[in-house]
Amino acid sequence: MHNSCIQVFHKSVVDYLIDPNRCDSKFEFFVDVAKSNLFIAIKCLECLNKELHFNICNLDHGILHKDNPDFEYQVSKIPNHLVYAAKFWISHALLCDLTILISIGEILNMFTATHLLHWVELLSICGSLSVIQVQLPQLIPRIPNQTVMPMLITEQKSIPKQIPIQIPKKQTLTPIQTAVPIETITPIQSTVPFQTATLLKDIKQLVGEFFKPISQSALHVYYSALVLCPEDTGLFKKYYPNFNSVKLSKVITGKDQDWSSCLVTFEGHTNTVNGVAWWSSTDGEISLIASVSNDNSVRLWDAFTGIEIHQFLGHTENVTSIAFSKDGTKLVSGSDDKSIKLWDMET
């Protein structure tokens, strides 16, 4: 116990509390993991809907994060609970054993209709923009294409004294595994806009196409990405008219009307690309692409974002072939310099 906050020091405590065979489900300290994650997902979205807003750190949109001497100080002013909610609401929603729509219903619709760009801004500031590329593809299929969908409300008839969750300021935030129990969850019917899934697909596409500028300066999600967003998309139609006070630019001609089929462009090689290889972890959380070129380099890329992770240099002539090891920890390349090189990606 520290500052009235309970902290778990050994995983066996968690294992006991979430196991109905060891900790009687009627016992007040038993934690139903699915219901607890549902509860946290709902509270995260409520937090985001209440506290997100344009330019949350009062940044100058003409300055990159790395060139702003006050950036770290400005970021430190963002409440930890808001950062946590932005990073992990999808993680908690995906851990529910109910469909995502039943889990968070109308509150998700409010979020997608009002705060998607604010969410992207905050994730960029926190250096966690890849959350959108990694987790949204798992979330979107759980949202059916219909206009009337069930959601849940919670009734807490007798919940023991709530336990505050302590997140130290300088500690890396990770998803909370358990929460206070929820006694009852009651399904109700709620009318939900058809565009929720469409807006989520659009924001994933937007971040994919403009990942680099948004990651370097959070406000470029408005001043660059939204301005260049195809006009026939639900995202542009919903959000662009709401930013009149920000004085966004307007593209008169030459802009695409809808999204391109190209998801990500990888740029960096200075000569012909001779081959590529793709590796993904079994849980889909990590996806890597390796490429080889006549610029004598082997390059490793994040498949979600198109960001170059590393260059492997050592070949003296054109590199012509590339392959991953089965566990994704090594690369093997072949070159016109008559050598084959095995690369350790963990060093």
Side-chain angles (χ1 to χ4, degrees), residues 4-56:
S4 300
C5 293
I6 295 177
Q7 296 176 307
V8 176
F9 287 97
H10 198 279
K11 188 176 182 298
S12 61
V13 177
V14 175
D15 293 339
Y16 171 74
L17 292 175
I18 66 176
D19 187 347
N21 296 319
R22 298 171 62 194
C23 182
D24 191 334
S25 59
K26 296 180 181 179
F27 184 51
E28 66 177 5
F29 292 114
F30 170 72
V31 177
D32 185 312
V33 175
K35 289 183 179 180
S36 296
N37 277 290
L38 166 60
F39 180 77
I40 298 174
I42 291 172
K43 292 304 178 182
C44 284
L45 282 170
E46 287 178 352
C47 171
L48 296 173
N49 283 338
K50 181 179 179 180
E51 300 185 40
L52 284 179
H53 59 84
F54 172 75
N55 200 359
I56 195 168

Side-chain angles (χ1 to χ4, degrees), residues 3 20 34 50 55 59-60 76 91 96 103 108 110 112 122 213 224 253 258 263 277 304 307-308 312 314 320-321:
N3 293 333
K50 181 179 179 180
N55 200 359
L59 301 172
D60 183 338
S76 70
S91 296
C96 302
S103 303
L108 176 61
M110 180 185 298
T112 57
L122 179 54
S224 297
T253 184
D258 210 339
L263 300 178
F304 292 117
I307 298 297
E308 183 180 304
F312 299 91
T320 57
S321 58

